[in-house]
Amino acid sequence: MNRVAEKRVRLKRRVKRVRHQIRPKRIRALRPRLVFNLSNKYIFAQVIDDATGKTLCSAATNEKSFALKGKNKEAAKQLGEVIAQRASEKGVKQVVLDRRGRLYHGKIAAFADAAREKGLEF
């Protein structure tokens, strides 16, 4: 297996491990999951209710209304504020952060701190 394929396999393993830790059955019905995902160009966030399998709200840095394009820390911070505002409009106060196997620092930490400042609890 080449180096890129090994990295993908390791990431999938971490994603599975993190999701298993944050999704026990007793929490699944109580709190939706706040998913943070990075692509090569943009940052995406979704609030997903796993009990019904529906996306409650979403935000991304590639939206036309989004001021900062790209995937730097400032864009992650602004995205955290936007997703917290949209979640509070839907009546969601408590979530579980799904960091998709990434380490909690840099962009993810900036995103989470901004979402907490705007009222989301996790």
Side-chain angles (χ1 to χ4, degrees):
M1 207 181 317
N2 63 8
R3 184 176 56 89
V4 176
E6 287 177 7
K7 284 178 76 172
R8 283 194 194 121
V9 168
R10 287 194 306 263
L11 178 63
K12 284 184 180 181
R13 199 177 305 144
R14 285 193 312 269
V15 166
K16 194 173 184 180
R17 184 173 58 234
V18 169
R19 184 152 319 148
H20 178 72
Q21 290 171 353
I22 66 171
R23 299 311 306 159
K25 288 184 180 180
R26 66 183 185 281
I27 295 175
R28 188 173 298 144
L30 300 176
R31 293 183 177 195
R33 182 167 45 109
L34 175 61
V35 182
F36 180 88
N37 198 10
L38 291 167
S39 73
N40 287 336
K41 293 175 93 174
Y42 302 111
I43 304 172
F44 304 93
Q46 291 180 327
V47 177
I48 301 172
D49 184 10
D50 285 326
T52 60
K54 304 240 178 186
T55 299
L56 302 176
C57 61
S58 65
T61 57
N62 65 350
E63 294 176 356
K64 290 185 178 184
S65 62
F66 204 75
L68 294 172
K69 301 294 181 188
K71 61 176 218 173
N72 55 12
K73 280 187 189 179
E74 291 299 319
K77 185 175 181 180
Q78 188 178 3
L79 185 67
E81 295 170 358
V82 169
I83 197 73
Q85 178 188 9
R86 290 182 185 176
S88 64
E89 289 172 0
K90 296 285 185 176
V92 176
K93 294 289 182 192
Q94 294 182 337
V95 295
V96 176
L97 180 64
D98 184 359
R99 52 190 172 83
R100 303 270 307 152
R102 312 270 188 209
L103 293 176
Y104 185 84
H105 73 95
K107 296 172 192 135
I108 297 176
F111 169 79
D113 292 340
R116 280 191 190 105
E117 287 174 6
K118 290 292 183 176
L120 278 183
E121 297 176 17
F122 53 93

